[in-house]
């Protein structure tokens, strides 16, 4: 019996409907059901094209776009990438990516503080995934809610820049727990930010997820980039086997 | 403001269910919201009041039941309430914790206070 088709109206309960009285109707339906269905559809689309999809999340300005720009140059030849950029406003980030010869679609969300599966689906209509190995989806810079919306990604990557403070994972545990990989970014600035303790940052991440892999890197001076690239290369290979 | 996204999902479901059950007015709605959902109950209520205006749920009370986070240790199978998002097993200090409660975000049920007469006629006609 379900509440979807009226098959729950039976001789036994019809009187409840006919008598004008209070009654409880059980629903048990997830509020993000439609988003989740669309996300599964997106994921199937990625898998049909052999694409590994990564959702890049962080607070505003943690270095997501800079990381993607550095990644474009550090990836081994033969790995082809595309980018979907999410921002409240402006085409700036997509333009930054296109300057490096990589296809990029900008989603401007207007009011919404996160990407959802329908927005990503629309962007996919403009993006030819043929021959693409990795699709990066840069989410809206926001540490509150993007992780609540499945967009069809295979992995979540969370950035924490050293300028934000080492307690951000403790303040935004839901987002950091959703990560599959945490990157501590802008490490070239460490000498100038003595308040930031790498040990505290790592402990703060590990309190929300003890086995979280963490890479320290700088898109600016390239330190740590080889570990990040190795993670990507390995993830792409695993995804191709799984698909 | 992702509360608007969540509340529009809520309204869609309510309107569908109300139509299918011949409900003319909804007096209250019971939501289950896990603490691992980035949802602020107060904002949900405010947003719901706006969205519900002029619909079958106009003036309905939104009752939010907040569900705490519970984990199960993958190493020793201990189940425990997770305090302040600190995912560590109290028995063995293991950190590989499966979330068994706290991800909820669904409508449990709603109270229908009246049934539309149109639907009554239909229901009788097909007896
Ligand atoms: N020193 C230093 N600065 C960096 C690094 N990465 C990014 N930045 C700077 O940080 C600022 C924000 O970088 P973006 O890459 O635009 O950050 P973002 O996360 O994409 O920002 P939003 O999309 O607006 O949320 C820019 O001024 C960058 O030049 C880094 O590794 N080292
Ligand atoms: Mg950016
Ligand atoms: Zn949001
Ligand atoms: Zn244990």
């Amino acid at each position: 019996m379900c509440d979807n088709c009226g098959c729950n109206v039976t001789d036994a309960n019809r009187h409840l409907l006919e008598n004008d009285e209070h009654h409880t109707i059980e629903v048990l339906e997830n509020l993000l059901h439609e988003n989740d269905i669309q996300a599964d559809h997106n994921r199937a689309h990625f898998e049909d094209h052999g694409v590994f999809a990564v959702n890049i999340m962080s607070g505003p300005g943690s270095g997501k776009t800079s990381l993607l720009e550095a990644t474009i140059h550090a990836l081994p030849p033969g790995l082809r990438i595309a980018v979907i950029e999410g921002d409240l406003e402006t085409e700036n980030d997509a333009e930054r990516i296109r300057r490096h010869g990589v296809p990029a679609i900008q989603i401007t969300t207007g009011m919404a503080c996160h990407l959802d599966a329908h927005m990503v689906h629309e962007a996919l209509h403009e993006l030819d995934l043929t021959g693409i190995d990795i699709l990066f989806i840069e989410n809206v810079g926001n540490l509150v809610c993007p992780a609540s919306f499945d967009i069809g990604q295979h992995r979540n990557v969370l950035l924490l820049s050293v300028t934000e403070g080492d307690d951000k994972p403790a303040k935004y545990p839901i987002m950091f727990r959703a990560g599959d990989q945490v990157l501590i970014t802008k490490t070239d600035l460490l000498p100038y930010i003595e308040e930031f303790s790498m040990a505290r940052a790592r402990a703060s991440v590990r309190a929300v997820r003890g086995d979280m892999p963490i890479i320290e890197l700088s898109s600016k001076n390239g330190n740590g980039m080889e570990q990040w690239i190795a993670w990507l290369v390995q993830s792409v290979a695993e995804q191709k086997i799984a698909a | 403001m992702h509360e608007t996204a969540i509340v529009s999902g809520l309204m869609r479901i309510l309107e569908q269910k109300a139509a299918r059950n011949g409900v003319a007015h909804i007096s209250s709605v019971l939501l289950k919201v896990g603490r691992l959902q980035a949802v602020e109950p107060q904002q949900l209520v405010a947003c719901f009041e706006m969205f519900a205006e002029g619909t079958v749920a106009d003036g309905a009370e939104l009752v939010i039941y907040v569900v705490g986070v519970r984990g199960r240790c993958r190493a020793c199978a201990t189940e425990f309430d997770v305090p302040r998002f600190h995912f560590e097993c109290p028995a063995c200090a293991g950190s590989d914790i499966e979330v068994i409660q706290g991800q909820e975000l669904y409508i449990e049920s709603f109270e229908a206070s009246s049934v539309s007469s149109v639907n009554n006629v239909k229901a009788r006609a097909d007896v």
Side-chain angles (χ1 to χ4, degrees), chain B residues 73 75-78 89 91-94:
Chain B
C73 175
C76 75
T78 299
C89 173
C92 75

Side-chain angles (χ1 to χ4, degrees), chain A:
Chain A
M1 293 246 282
C2 68
D3 280 338
N4 294 329
C5 64
C7 67
N8 56 347
V9 181
T10 64
D11 288 341
N13 69 14
R14 181 166 289 117
H15 70 282
L16 288 176
L17 293 174
E18 289 175 351
N19 293 346
D20 193 43
E21 61 185 41
H22 277 257
H23 60 284
T24 303
I25 295 177
E26 194 176 69
V27 182
L28 301 180
E29 194 169 317
N30 194 295
L31 300 185
L32 297 177
H33 181 66
E34 291 211 348
N35 184 74
D36 293 346
I37 296 212
Q38 181 66 62
D40 287 339
H41 172 85
N42 294 354
R43 203 158 12 246
H45 183 71
F46 298 144
E47 282 157 20
D48 284 346
H49 290 81
V51 170
F52 172 60
V54 195
N55 182 16
I56 309 275
M57 297 186 282
S58 78
S62 305
K64 300 179 291 299
T65 310
S66 302
L67 172 73
L68 294 180
E69 292 179 281
T71 303
I72 291 167
H73 296 285
L75 275 174
L79 273 188
R80 293 193 41 206
I81 72 174
V83 176
I84 293 176
E85 286 286 347
D87 281 294
L88 295 179
E89 291 297 340
T90 84
E91 280 266 330
N92 296 353
D93 283 0
E95 275 162 18
R96 278 167 66 186
I97 299 296
R98 285 187 208 117
R99 259 180 241 140
H100 302 270
V102 165
I105 306 292
Q106 180 77 49
I107 301 175
T108 47
T109 61
M111 286 286 286
C113 44
H114 57 269
L115 291 178
D116 67 31
H118 293 93
M119 298 176 198
V120 170
H121 181 244
E122 293 234 323
L124 288 175
H125 284 156
E126 299 169 47
L127 190 61
D128 182 6
L129 290 180
T130 313
I132 298 293
D133 300 292
I134 308 176
L135 173 66
F136 291 105
I137 306 168
E138 180 182 330
N139 219 309
V140 178
N142 171 8
L143 276 180
V144 180
C145 64
S148 301
F149 295 82
D150 187 357
I151 52 177
Q153 77 279 7
H154 296 109
R155 292 285 182 273
N156 286 327
V157 172
L158 259 293
L159 273 62
L160 165 68
S161 64
V162 301
T163 50
E164 290 167 81
D166 49 35
D167 60 348
K168 278 288 179 299
K171 287 184 176 166
Y172 300 94
I174 296 172
M175 286 287 290
F176 278 88
R177 181 155 173 95
D180 297 295
Q181 172 71 57
V182 165
L183 306 179
I184 299 180
T185 61
K186 309 192 191 180
T187 53
D188 58 287
L189 297 176
L190 274 175
Y192 312 101
I193 303 171
E194 55 194 41
E195 300 83 359
F196 187 93
S197 150
M198 194 57 84
R200 268 202 306 268
R202 285 177 165 273
S204 173
V205 171
R206 297 227 151 110
V208 294
R209 173 157 257 156
D211 54 354
M212 183 74 77
I214 300 171
I215 297 173
E216 300 167 20
L217 59 76
S218 162
S219 308
K220 193 167 180 184
N221 67 16
N223 283 349
M225 282 296 289
E226 67 292 341
Q227 273 187 59
W228 160 241
I229 298 296
W231 181 84
L232 281 173
V233 168
Q234 192 190 337
S235 302
V236 169
E238 284 170 5
Q239 185 56 38
K240 297 231 195 261
I241 292 166

